[in-house]
Amino acid sequence: MPRLQPGVILSAAAAAAIVVAGLLYWMLAGPVHAVDHPPSSISALKAEAAPKNVPVVAFTDAKGQRHTLAEFKGRYVLLNLWATWCAPCVRELPALAQLQAAIPKDKFTIVAVDVGRNTPADAAAFLKSHHAAVLDVYQDSDIALIRVFGAFGLPMSVLIDPQGREVARAMGPGEWDAPDAVAYFRAVANNSHS
């Protein structure tokens, strides 16, 4: 039987190590919808079995200009539906603002949409008075987002990937600014290859 040269053995071992490292990287840094265990602080956030395209529906900003979620493609988005009369919504607004302040908007944007019947000035003042002025003012006074996303209660949050697909949803409030939640969303935001 021929004897293998030490260089051949080392080359084969190095190739095997590269393959194993590549597989581990792929498994650990897979797309966000493969990460189905958010931390306990945001345990309400449940991954979708398969990503699904978000509906096309318009909402307005503080100046009355219309927007759709498609405008945010290329980054992760946490769509949050809230109202001034919803106590759990009001309690989580500062946490959402802290989360947004911790991650650059070009990678991760919180689109917090007021689904009440406030004026843009009222919504902006409300966000400011609740330590959430870092969030942009968006409104949906005709509750189109509630209808197309099938929200049966508030707050409701939907995690949308850079391709514009819903990958997770939370019914009810979360501790969005908890250290483990911030770390989770940082990892999601840096996972741009999904």
Side-chain angles (χ1 to χ4, degrees):
M1 180 168 197
R3 187 167 155 88
L4 291 175
Q5 298 294 328
V8 173
I9 294 172
L10 286 175
S11 295
I18 290 170
V19 169
V20 168
L23 284 172
L24 284 172
Y25 176 78
W26 179 78
M27 288 169 37
L28 296 174
V32 69
H33 48 81
V35 181
D36 57 3
H37 296 97
S40 61
S41 59
I42 51 170
S43 61
L45 187 67
K46 306 292 183 200
E48 293 291 329
K52 57 186 177 185
N53 291 329
V54 296
V56 178
V57 62
F59 50 94
T60 58
D61 64 17
K63 296 178 181 175
Q65 303 214 345
R66 295 173 69 76
H67 298 274
T68 67
L69 292 167
E71 294 172 33
F72 297 92
K73 279 189 176 180
R75 69 187 104 164
Y76 280 91
V77 170
L78 185 65
L79 171 68
N80 176 266
L81 304 182
W82 67 277
T84 57
W85 45 262
C86 165
C89 301
V90 174
R91 279 193 304 274
E92 78 173 1
L93 283 172
L96 288 165
Q98 290 294 322
L99 176 60
Q100 182 62 84
I103 304 173
K105 280 188 176 184
D106 64 334
K107 291 187 172 193
F108 178 80
T109 300
I110 295 176
V111 177
V113 181
D114 175 11
V115 295
R117 299 204 181 271
N118 299 305
T119 68
D122 289 342
F126 191 85
L127 289 173
K128 184 176 181 181
S129 71
H130 287 83
H131 309 287
V134 71
L135 300 174
D136 292 327
V137 175
Y138 292 110
Q139 294 186 285
D140 180 25
S141 57
D142 62 0
I143 61 171
L145 287 168
I146 287 179
R147 287 194 302 270
V148 299
F149 279 100
F152 296 107
L154 294 176
M156 184 190 85
S157 299
V158 177
L159 183 60
I160 301 165
D161 72 8
Q163 290 75 37
R165 304 172 302 178
E166 178 179 343
V167 293
R169 180 181 292 216
M171 295 302 299
E175 295 176 55
W176 305 106
D177 61 343
D180 57 354
V182 173
Y184 174 81
F185 285 110
R186 269 199 190 113
V188 165
N190 289 324
N191 185 4
S192 62
H193 66 278
S194 62

